[in-house]
Amino acid sequence: MKSSAVVRMPVSGVLVGVVAALSLVGCSPKPAAEEPVRAVKLVTVGSSQATAVLEYSGEVRARIESRLGFRVAGKLVQRQVDVGQHVQPGQVLAQLDGNDYALAAQAAQAQVAAATTQRDLAAADFARYQALKDKNFISGAELDRRSATLKSAQAQLDQAKANASSQSNQSGYTRLLADVAGIVTAVDAEPGQVVSAGAPVVRIAQDGERDVVFAVPEDKRSLVRIGQAVQVRPWADGEALLQGKVREVAASADPVTRTYTVKVALAGGNVPPLGATVHVLPEGMGPAGLDVIKLPTAAVRELGGQSAVWVYDPQTKAVTSRKVTVATADGNDAVIAEGLTPGMQVVAAGVHVLSEGQQVTVYQDKYAPKPAAEQPTAPATAAIPAKADGKPAAAAQ
């Protein structure tokens, strides 16, 4: 009897086949997950009046502020005033070491004395020669030489007197005096410091008219003009309003901040103190009262360096991107200058998770109050008549 042959496969070959099959199963691509339909909040584009006004922060300063310094160089030995102190004309502000200038003044006086002696000697000599000339003992040329000597001695005396007067002034310049009445706003040198001639030592804000100084950006420079009315509100007293007018507008921008400095002259006597912070509201510079298109700032996103919004199409229930131009801000809203027309529906929240042409659903707030027309009404019930004894009659079958 013939036995049947049995085919035996090695165990290692079976394992290799199983592993290969499993690897092929693991490498097969997974089906892509469908993108979820997102719910978005919409806002309908419409025109409304802007309420924001341009407000700037300013500082109260003196109309004239002088930087006073010594007219001579020297070592500062004493400063008699401090910041915030009120000074009067002629009051001593600071003092230099004047020993060298005093010695120079004494030397100049000595030169005056010597020149006076030489002049007197030349005058006496000329008088003697004049008498001799009258008696014809000397020639006229000799008398002329004595006259020239006298004139030279007189010129040297005049020069010595002028030098003495200059040295006396130099000695007096070692005392720094206030020219006008005002308030010390800054001190730029301290005792012991060697200062040069003309270097600022004390700054004084003169008494009198006050200005409010603030800065405007370059795009608002053309809106500011001389004589423009300005309202000023002190920071410490938000209820008080001061009136002023633009007095000066800088012709060039500040090299650091690139803004233009504007000075406003305040009217009235109730002026805030020097250095006080105030709020400045120039008239005619804000969009208040104009009909504009406003959107929540959350609805605007950046796209390639420009502003854009998502516009909802109720027919296709999809969103498309539209570039817009933002003019300014009005409170928490963005004022749109170009790109939208009234009646459009714009996505107001979740703009950063959407894509072009994406299908969306309109978010419905279940807690929002429904209109009166959609409010459910209670079912009408027929009135049951009562019997004579006051008990209700049976309902009709």
Side-chain angles (χ1 to χ4, degrees):
M1 187 171 180
K2 190 176 182 180
S3 60
S4 61
V6 179
V7 180
R8 298 179 179 273
M9 294 182 63
V11 177
S12 59
V14 175
L15 294 176
V16 171
V18 173
V19 171
L22 292 176
S23 63
L24 290 176
V25 173
C27 293
S28 60
K30 296 181 180 180
E34 295 184 0
E35 186 175 358
V37 178
R38 300 184 181 277
V40 296
K41 290 184 178 181
L42 300 180
V43 59
T44 302
V45 176
S47 61
S48 60
Q49 287 190 347
T51 59
V53 294
L54 293 180
E55 182 175 302
Y56 299 93
S57 177
E59 180 184 358
V60 178
R61 297 182 186 176
R63 177 70 59 86
I64 301 176
E65 185 173 357
S66 304
R67 298 187 178 187
L68 304 182
F70 292 99
R71 300 172 67 174
V72 294
K75 181 179 180 180
L76 184 63
V77 295
Q78 190 176 7
R79 177 171 55 81
Q80 286 90 338
V81 294
D82 295 318
V83 175
Q85 182 176 344
H86 192 275
V87 297
Q88 298 295 334
Q91 182 176 342
V92 179
L93 306 178
Q95 178 75 40
L96 291 179
D97 184 3
N99 292 331
D100 293 341
Y101 294 100
L103 293 176
Q106 294 177 9
Q109 290 297 332
Q111 291 177 358
V112 170
T116 301
T117 302
Q118 293 295 329
R119 194 278 312 270
D120 294 343
L121 181 60
D125 195 16
F126 176 77
R128 287 193 299 270
Y129 275 82
Q130 180 68 46
L132 294 176
K133 177 63 176 64
D134 293 342
K135 297 178 181 180
N136 293 324
F137 290 157
I138 60 174
S139 62
E142 190 67 24
L143 181 63
D144 291 340
R145 284 193 291 270
R146 295 301 181 273
S147 176
T149 301
L150 175 60
K151 292 179 180 180
S152 176
Q154 182 63 44
Q156 291 179 0
L157 175 61
D158 294 340
Q159 181 181 6
K161 288 182 177 180
N163 185 38
S165 178
S166 175
Q167 291 298 330
S168 177
N169 291 339
Q170 296 287 319
S171 179
Y173 293 154
T174 58
R175 300 167 68 244
L176 182 61
L177 305 179
D179 297 333
V180 294
I183 299 176
V184 179
T185 59
V187 173
D188 298 327
E190 296 294 340
Q193 181 177 346
V194 177
V195 297
S196 59
V201 176
V202 177
R203 277 184 263 180
I204 295 181
Q206 297 186 15
D207 292 343
E209 297 177 331
R210 296 288 186 255
D211 287 343
V212 170
V213 181
F214 67 100
V216 297
E218 185 175 356
D219 60 337
K220 299 296 187 296
R221 166 63 178 81
S222 60
L223 301 178
V224 183
R225 61 189 182 279
I226 303 298
Q228 181 177 357
V230 177
Q231 289 186 348
V232 178
R233 186 176 72 252
W235 177 81
D237 186 5
E239 300 298 331
L241 280 179
L242 305 177
Q243 301 298 325
K245 291 185 178 181
V246 175
R247 182 180 65 85
E248 179 183 318
V249 182
S252 60
D254 185 270
V256 178
T257 62
R258 307 307 303 169
T259 57
Y260 290 81
T261 301
V262 180
K263 295 182 179 180
V264 176
L266 293 178
N270 189 17
V271 178
L274 288 176
T277 301
V278 294
H279 303 284
V280 184
L281 292 84
E283 293 186 359
M285 290 187 61
L290 301 178
D291 288 335
V292 295
I293 294 177
K294 297 190 295 183
L295 289 178
T297 54
V300 184
R301 74 186 198 282
E302 291 296 323
L303 179 63
Q306 295 183 349
S307 300
V309 297
W310 291 111
V311 177
Y312 174 75
D313 187 357
Q315 301 296 331
T316 61
K317 300 186 183 302
V319 292
T320 56
S321 179
R322 179 182 290 265
K323 293 183 179 180
V324 296
T325 301
V326 178
T328 183
D330 186 18
N332 294 327
D333 296 332
V335 178
I336 307 300
E338 296 179 355
L340 296 177
T341 56
M344 291 183 174
Q345 290 182 308
V346 176
V347 178
V351 297
H352 298 288
V353 296
L354 300 178
S355 58
E356 183 69 24
Q358 183 177 350
Q359 297 286 330
V360 296
T361 59
V362 180
Y363 172 77
Q364 300 291 341
D365 189 359
K366 61 181 180 179
Y367 298 105
K370 295 182 180 180
E374 299 180 4
Q375 292 290 344
T377 57
T381 57
I384 300 177
K387 293 182 179 180
D389 56 359
K391 295 182 179 181
Q397 297 295 328

